[in-house]
Amino acid sequence: MPHFVIMGCGRVGATLAHTLEDAGHSVAIIDQDDRAFRRLRTGFAGRKVTGVGFDRETLKQADIEQAYAFAAVSSGDNSNVLATRVARETFHVEHVVARIYDPGRAEIYQRLGIPTVAAVRWSADQVLRRILPEATINGDFREPSGRLILTEVALHPGWIGRHVLDVEKAAGARVAYLTRFGEGMLPSGDTSYQQGDTVHVMLPVARSSEISRILATAPVKESA
């Protein structure tokens, strides 16, 4: 059962904690004010840790070393980004996301390789898509027959520097657009996947799990 660590028990953090627990996942939530845990429903079975979310010992109490993903959704941009970097760089948590209030800083954070969700356009789905094992919750768009869905997919770091056309060929799906530095862009034939990019793919619903597995692994090296 995947374990998730959340920093910040405000409205956003509590919503995430409840959603993840309802999906059957193990959850730990961190806040420096233990009164914040009152936002959690009665019967919440996850771990509640009082402390600073970027403190290593606090993170260890939240079982960060076993975490599948980490979400920093407190009210402070700097704290969220710092905590996310500690989770990734010190504890090697692969799936991380930081909530930010200042979209102007998005480019800086993306260059650090930290996926961000701007508070001004925040939704729970945007955070969950970046940390859940599944590629998506509902997808961005589903065409009327229900056979095709436009959704975000997670790419293995080995795809960095590879052309979008390589991604399409391996997955058997169409890259509709990329989000880079907080802005959408239509890929051309020579567009390469960069660290921090969010990739939005139109794919057959029936192959969604297969395509997610393909892109979550490193691309096959071409023989000489």
Side-chain angles (χ1 to χ4, degrees):
M1 179 172 59
H3 179 60
F4 293 81
V5 178
I6 300 167
M7 169 187 157
C9 194
R11 180 179 57 84
V12 176
T15 298
L16 290 173
H18 294 156
T19 302
L20 290 166
E21 186 175 64
D22 288 344
H25 300 298
S26 166
V27 182
I29 187 162
I30 300 168
D31 202 288
Q32 56 186 344
D33 184 355
D34 57 8
R35 292 173 297 180
F37 298 129
R38 296 174 185 172
R39 293 187 176 91
L40 297 169
R41 64 191 174 196
T42 303
F44 175 71
R47 187 176 307 177
K48 294 173 280 190
V49 179
T50 303
V52 178
F54 49 81
D55 176 73
R56 295 183 185 184
E57 291 305 313
T58 299
L59 287 167
K60 286 181 179 179
Q61 289 178 41
D63 208 13
I64 191 70
E65 292 161 309
Q66 305 302 321
Y68 173 87
F70 175 78
V73 293
S74 77
S75 59
D77 284 9
N78 291 336
S79 296
N80 287 343
V81 171
L82 179 56
T84 304
R85 293 192 68 182
V86 172
R88 171 173 280 177
E89 297 169 13
T90 301
F91 296 103
H92 310 294
V93 180
E94 183 177 355
H95 305 278
V96 299
V97 61
R99 183 193 192 201
I100 63 168
Y101 287 81
D102 181 2
R105 298 180 179 177
E107 181 172 348
I108 298 172
Y109 299 151
Q110 294 281 18
R111 290 191 184 280
L112 293 173
I114 298 173
T116 59
V117 169
V120 293
R121 57 183 183 84
W122 179 87
S123 74
D125 277 0
Q126 286 179 307
V127 174
L128 290 166
R129 284 176 196 161
R130 289 162 170 79
I131 62 175
L132 276 173
E134 300 82 10
T136 182
I137 303 303
N138 296 313
D140 300 319
F141 169 79
R142 188 185 294 259
E143 55 82 37
S145 76
R147 294 181 179 180
L148 297 175
I149 190 168
L150 176 64
T151 185
E152 293 179 13
V153 293
L155 270 65
H156 186 280
W159 288 99
I160 294 173
R162 298 291 289 265
H163 285 138
V164 166
L165 292 177
D166 295 334
V167 175
E168 294 183 334
K169 183 178 179 180
R174 180 64 55 86
V175 176
Y177 68 100
L178 305 175
T179 302
R180 180 173 293 173
F181 304 138
E183 297 183 355
M185 63 174 287
L186 293 174
S188 59
D190 60 353
T191 300
S192 297
Y193 172 62
Q194 296 183 11
Q195 185 174 28
D197 284 354
T198 300
V199 182
H200 308 260
V201 174
M202 182 67 79
L203 51 82
V205 172
R207 295 189 58 236
S208 59
S209 296
E210 175 192 358
I211 290 171
S212 294
R213 286 195 298 271
I214 291 171
L215 297 180
T217 58
V220 176
K221 293 183 179 180
E222 299 177 358
S223 56

